[in-house]
Amino acid sequence: MSDLLDQEELKSALKKRPEWDLEGKSITRVVEFEDYMEGIDFVNLVAEVAEEAQHHPDITINYTKVTISLTSHEAGGITEDDIELADRISNLVD
Ligand SMILES: C[C@H](O)[C@H](O)[C@H]1CNC2=NC(N)=NC(=O)C2=N1
C-alpha cells in the first residue's frame, strides 16, 4: 500500500494533470463521448486497467458522460497509486 501524498505532492501532481480535480479525498475526471456505447467501451477499458493494477475507481455513467473518481480507501486519501491509475486512464482518451 502506498503512503498518502502530502499537500505539496498533491498540488504539484494535479498541476501537471489539469483534467483531474480534487474533490474531498478523491481526484476526479469527467470524460464526455459522442454516444452512450462509446462511453461504455471506455468504462470497460478502465475496468481492465483497474483490475490489472488492483486499484479500482468509482465510476459514474450519466448517459454520454463518464466520471472517474480515484482514492485509496486503505490509506484514507490520495496516494501515488491514484496518480498512476489516473495517468493510465488518461492515456486511454488523450
Ligand atoms: C488487497 C487489495 O489490493 C486492496 O483491497 C485494494 C483493492 N482496490 C483498491 N482500490 C482502491 N481505489 N483503493 C484501495 O485502497 C484498494 N485496495
Side-chain angles (χ1 to χ4, degrees):
M1 181 178 88
S2 300
D3 293 332
L4 283 181
L5 299 186
D6 65 33
Q7 286 291 84
E8 282 305 308
E9 290 168 329
L10 186 56
K11 215 174 102 183
S12 99
L14 288 175
K15 211 170 170 182
K16 291 180 218 151
R17 297 167 180 84
E19 309 84 5
W20 292 86
D21 296 314
L22 183 62
E23 281 190 20
K25 293 187 172 185
S26 303
I27 54 171
T28 66
R29 177 170 180 171
V30 180
V31 188
E32 196 134 20
F33 294 91
E34 290 286 310
D35 60 44
Y36 182 69
M37 287 313 296
E38 206 184 315
I40 297 300
D41 290 344
F42 169 67
V43 166
N44 278 310
L45 290 175
V46 169
E48 279 179 30
V49 168
E51 190 57 13
E52 192 185 298
Q54 278 303 298
H55 200 66
H56 305 88
D58 290 351
I59 304 174
T60 307
I61 302 165
N62 299 102
Y63 186 33
T64 56
K65 199 172 81 182
V66 178
T67 304
I68 305 290
S69 176
L70 288 166
T71 190
S72 295
H73 302 286
E74 291 170 346
I78 297 150
T79 68
E80 195 57 42
D81 293 348
D82 299 301
I83 302 301
E84 279 174 23
L85 187 54
D87 286 346
R88 293 186 67 181
I89 291 169
S90 286
N91 282 337
L92 298 171
V93 281
D94 293 338

